[in-house]
Amino acid sequence: KTLEDAANLRSPLVLKGLGLAHKTEAGAVRLSLEHGDLAGAIADLPTPEFMIEEMVANAVAELLVSVVADPVCGLMLTIGAGGVLAELLDDTVHLLLPASRNSVKQSLTQLRIAKILNGHRGQPAADVDEIVAAVMALQSYALANAADLAEVEINPLICTTTHAVAADALIRISHE
């Protein structure tokens, strides 16, 4: 979206600099912006290209979902705590592809953040079926593109009570 296109978006808004794998560390993500904040925030970005999006409200949790082409094992699915917690918690499970819906759903229960996904201490629970659907869609993409895929990662997959939204993704193609 351009600055002009953003006028049609509902605030709060998210501004992301493009072309970086680790946007947060590079200072290329601005959250909870109002329309009047955009011009200044764009000027402060470390990249010339950017994207403006509506911010996903009412997140229960953020997940990381990735598929990596391992030369020995084949396609390996990783599901874990995402967003800024990905490196902090080191909370992941791994499955070989293809994985069944049941094994994906079961793997979510093995995460330390499973309690948060299930509505810890009276908080709302994430829609686990939507999370599983998002994981299965990523698996379908990976399997369909296995010959050329090095890695595909969604981080974060923002999990709400009704949706699972891929807020950022990275795709690396192998150069063999």
Side-chain angles (χ1 to χ4, degrees):
K1 296 267 180 204
T2 66
L3 190 54
E4 294 78 27
D5 292 334
N8 298 321
L9 298 177
R10 287 181 307 208
S11 59
L13 303 169
V14 176
L15 173 67
K16 297 176 186 177
L18 298 180
L20 301 169
H22 299 283
K23 293 173 183 60
T24 302
E25 288 85 350
V29 176
R30 303 290 194 284
L31 302 174
S32 301
L33 297 173
E34 297 298 323
H35 288 275
D37 302 328
L38 285 173
I42 290 168
D44 290 340
L45 283 178
T47 62
E49 294 184 294
F50 59 88
M51 180 185 323
I52 303 167
E53 303 170 317
E54 292 180 2
M55 192 163 165
V56 177
N58 303 317
V60 172
E62 295 182 352
L63 293 177
L64 173 146
V65 183
S66 72
V67 175
V68 174
D70 182 278
V72 175
C73 299
L75 295 177
M76 178 73 66
L77 171 68
T78 299
I79 304 170
V84 297
L85 298 178
E87 288 87 13
L88 287 174
L89 294 184
D90 192 28
D91 181 21
T92 58
V93 293
H94 307 281
L95 299 165
L96 288 175
L97 293 190
S100 70
R101 284 185 177 280
N102 286 341
S103 62
V104 168
K105 196 168 190 174
Q106 178 62 32
S107 70
L108 291 170
T109 68
Q110 297 171 18
L111 295 171
R112 287 184 291 194
I113 65 163
K115 288 181 180 180
I116 294 171
L117 293 173
N118 292 323
H120 185 62
R121 293 194 172 192
Q123 295 300 308
D127 188 327
V128 173
D129 291 332
E130 286 290 316
I131 296 169
V132 172
V135 173
M136 298 309 287
L138 185 69
Q139 173 179 258
S140 293
Y141 171 83
L143 292 171
N145 294 280
D148 299 319
L149 187 68
E151 173 186 16
V152 58
E153 178 181 291
I154 297 171
N155 187 18
L157 179 69
I158 300 176
C159 307
T160 74
T161 58
T162 57
H163 295 89
V165 180
D168 209 349
L170 169 75
I171 299 173
R172 283 190 314 118
I173 302 301
S174 64
H175 297 286
E176 293 182 33

